[in-house]
Every structure is written in C-alpha cells, then in structure tokens.
Amino acid sequence: MKKHLLWLFLLLSYQLQAQTPLIPAHDPVMIQQNGTYYMFCTGPGIAVWSSKDRQHWQPQKPVFAAAPAWAVKAIPGFKNHIWAPDISFANGQYSLFYSVSAFGKNTSAIGLATNKTLDPTSPDFKWVDHGLVVQSVPGRDMWNAIDPNLVRDAVGAPWLTFGSFWDGIKLVQLRPDLTGPAEPQQWRTIAHRPRDPKLNDSLPGDGAIEAPFIFKKGKYYYLFTSFDYCCRGPQSTYKMMVGRAEDVRGPYLDRTGARLDQGGGTLVLEGDKNWYGVGHNAVATFNNTDYLIFHGYDANDKAHPKLRIETMRWDAAGWPVVSTK
C-alpha cells in the first residue's frame, strides 16, 4: 500500500511538473521551427532553450559567446548580459532584436542579429550580427531603447516598438532590411503613464511602463505592456495590460475607451500568492491556439523568475482572456 501511494505521489508530482515548465527565464519570447520550440530570454549572450513539447526544455548555446564589439563601445561597462530579445521570421530569415543597457539609465541601444535557421545542427546555422538599430542617449532622449518588438503592418512594412519608463512606449518604422529607422524618421509614443514633472530627465521616473509586444488578431493590433515593477523579489508588482487599435500606429484604446498614450490600459494578468509580479510577455500562436508567454516571480522558490506559458482566449468583444485556474 505504501509503495502504491509513493508511486501515485511521484506520478502526480511528475504530471504537475510537466504542466508547469519551471525553468529560469526573464523576458521570454518563443517561436517554432520544424516541430521544435525555441525560447530566447535575458541572459549572458542571450539565453536560448529548446523543447519538443513546451514542457521539457534543454539549454542551448547562447547567441553571443562574447560581447558584441559595438555594444561594448556604446554601453560603458557592458559585460555581455543581454536583455529582452525578440524573435520573428519573415522572408526566409529569423530576426533577433536585443537590448544592451546600463541598469536604471537610458544609456541603451537595440541591436539586430539574423540567422537562416534556429537548428544548431544545421550547416546553415550562423548568427550574423548587424549591430546598432536604435540608441537612446541621456540628456537627449526622454525614452529608453530597450525591450524591442517587431511587428509588420497590413502591407508587410516593419515597425519596431520598444521602451521602458521615461516618456513611455515608442514606435518607429524600420527600413526593409530592419537595420535602422525608415526615412523620414517619425517617432510615436503609443503608451505612456504619468511621470512626476519635477524629476530630472536622467532618471527613469515613476511612470512604470515597459516591455511592449504588438500582436495582430482579426482587425486589431493588440498592444501588451507591463505596468509597475519587476526584479524586486517578493516586492515585485509587475502586471500585464493591453489596448488595441485598427492601425499599428494607434491610437491604442483600452476596454473603457481610454487611450494607452494617456495612461489607459486593461488588465490581462497580475501576480497572486503563488507568483509575485508577472510580466514582460510575448504572444505566440501554435497549432491555431494563442499563448501568453511571460515570466513570473515564483513565491515557492525565493522569488526566482520562471517561464510561464498560458493559453489565451478571446471574449465576445475581442479582448484577451487568460485564466490560470
């Protein structure tokens, strides 16, 4: 009887573990190629994991074995800890945007690397770094060039959204080769939270918003962002918000009609007793099902950041719904 109970306990434990892939991750994004899922996230050289079922993950070699020379030059003290990658595929090419930054400052830049394949066993596997795409400079810019996400509009034109704190979330159209802003350059603020005007421009401020991700569904572009504070262990207050627009340029409105560039936003998911803050999400569609991919601070494991994958449905009014129960 005891052996039977022990076997049942182990089986249930395995099933529970299999349903919750508790691997370390911060700022995850995910894509699928030839039946294999690849997850990229913040880490030395950009951390990479692979999986056949989104449950059991294997670490892969990082994208960069050594810090990109351009990033070392652009960011004083940069040690190859790369933030918030974004992965997409178009025109036979995987495009990986990534952030380099000095923490708490907008001494920041976004770079681009490309590859023909994500399969490290393929003879075509080789990351090619294209260097700097956009850069923010303290004292010049009231925005922060981190947390990139690429989206394409109805005619296939590429747009890059990014941003953290300061004056909020930015959007700029890119050249067709993705290596810089299209001319003439037009920079838009598409989401913003109130900021204390008395604060020095060099400070991030108290308008805690970052990590944009734009997902096209039906006639709408959905702009997901994270409000409040990550990276504070049990004091993390991260949560995910959303608004939508029929034009990629906005304006993005929340469920009540409030504009995101005027402080609006509809709650998607927030922390609870098991997970402190949850945020910095991506959205991906696998086998005709949409998934919210993000990290949460595990209350049962010293608030370490872990990968979370949740099914995302849509209500009758076309708003995303995520249930973790």
Side-chain angles (χ1 to χ4, degrees):
M1 182 66 177
K2 288 183 178 180
K3 287 184 178 180
H4 174 74
L5 290 175
L6 178 59
W7 176 86
L8 182 62
F9 173 79
L10 291 174
L11 177 62
L12 290 173
S13 297
Y14 172 79
Q15 290 176 338
L16 182 61
Q17 185 178 35
Q19 293 169 8
T20 310
L22 299 180
I23 62 170
H26 218 268
D27 316 326
V29 291
M30 197 175 298
I31 199 168
Q32 185 184 35
Q33 180 190 6
N34 297 333
T36 298
Y37 299 92
Y38 295 91
M39 191 268 287
F40 298 81
C41 60
T42 291
I46 306 177
V48 185
W49 296 72
S50 67
S51 172
K52 291 292 186 181
D53 57 7
R54 301 194 306 273
Q55 304 295 337
H56 306 89
W57 293 88
Q58 298 295 325
Q60 302 293 327
K61 290 182 179 179
V63 174
F64 295 108
W70 75 265
V72 173
K73 183 177 179 180
I75 310 299
F78 177 64
K79 303 294 186 184
N80 203 31
H81 189 75
I82 298 177
W83 300 353
D86 176 73
I87 187 70
S88 60
F89 179 79
N91 303 319
Q93 173 180 280
Y94 290 91
S95 298
L96 183 71
F97 288 91
Y98 59 93
S99 316
V100 296
S101 182
F103 190 84
K105 300 179 181 180
N106 65 334
T107 305
S108 306
I110 292 168
L112 169 67
T114 59
N115 207 328
K116 293 180 180 178
T117 178
L118 301 180
D119 179 0
T121 66
S122 169
D124 292 328
F125 180 85
K126 181 182 179 181
W127 287 106
V128 177
D129 188 33
H130 302 273
L132 176 68
V133 177
V134 295
Q135 183 174 18
S136 55
V137 177
R140 185 193 73 178
D141 303 312
M142 279 296 290
W143 45 271
N144 193 13
I146 66 170
D147 298 355
N149 169 242
L150 180 74
V151 60
R152 293 181 183 272
D153 64 19
V155 298
W159 297 78
L160 191 71
T161 183
F162 57 91
S164 172
F165 287 73
W166 277 271
D167 271 348
I169 304 304
K170 300 296 180 180
L171 180 77
V172 67
Q173 186 174 353
L174 297 182
R175 297 192 291 261
D177 67 1
L178 311 181
T179 59
E183 299 291 345
Q185 296 184 20
Q186 292 184 309
W187 302 76
R188 294 172 170 84
T189 298
I190 56 173
H192 169 82
R193 296 185 78 189
R195 171 187 167 93
D196 186 342
K198 297 188 293 293
L199 292 172
N200 189 287
D201 288 356
S202 66
L203 299 174
D206 50 359
I209 183 172
E210 59 187 10
F213 193 96
I214 297 177
F215 180 71
K216 183 72 161 55
K217 182 78 171 180
K219 68 177 182 178
Y220 290 111
Y221 296 88
Y222 290 82
L223 170 61
F224 295 83
T225 64
S226 294
F227 278 16
D228 299 336
Y229 295 93
C230 80
C231 319
R232 297 188 175 190
Q235 283 71 51
S236 299
T237 54
Y238 235 18
K239 57 177 176 278
M240 289 166 277
M241 313 293 286
V242 72
R244 69 187 185 187
E246 293 187 32
D247 189 313
V248 72
R249 298 168 295 183
Y252 289 86
L253 309 180
D254 69 13
R255 187 187 285 268
T256 70
R259 292 173 60 129
L260 267 64
D261 61 1
Q262 296 178 6
T266 293
L267 180 67
V268 178
L269 192 65
E270 60 186 341
D272 56 27
K273 63 183 178 63
N274 294 314
W275 297 90
Y276 297 121
V278 293
H280 201 119
N281 74 278
V283 180
T285 303
F286 302 126
N287 301 319
N288 299 315
T289 300
D290 298 326
Y291 294 92
L292 191 73
I293 298 154
F294 59 100
H295 72 255
Y297 299 96
D298 189 349
N300 298 306
D301 187 17
K302 302 177 182 178
H304 290 152
K306 304 285 182 66
L307 172 65
R308 295 279 305 276
I309 306 170
E310 300 292 347
T311 301
M312 189 166 68
R313 289 175 279 272
W314 304 84
D315 68 15
W319 290 95
V321 177
V322 178
S323 175
T324 60
K325 297 180 181 179

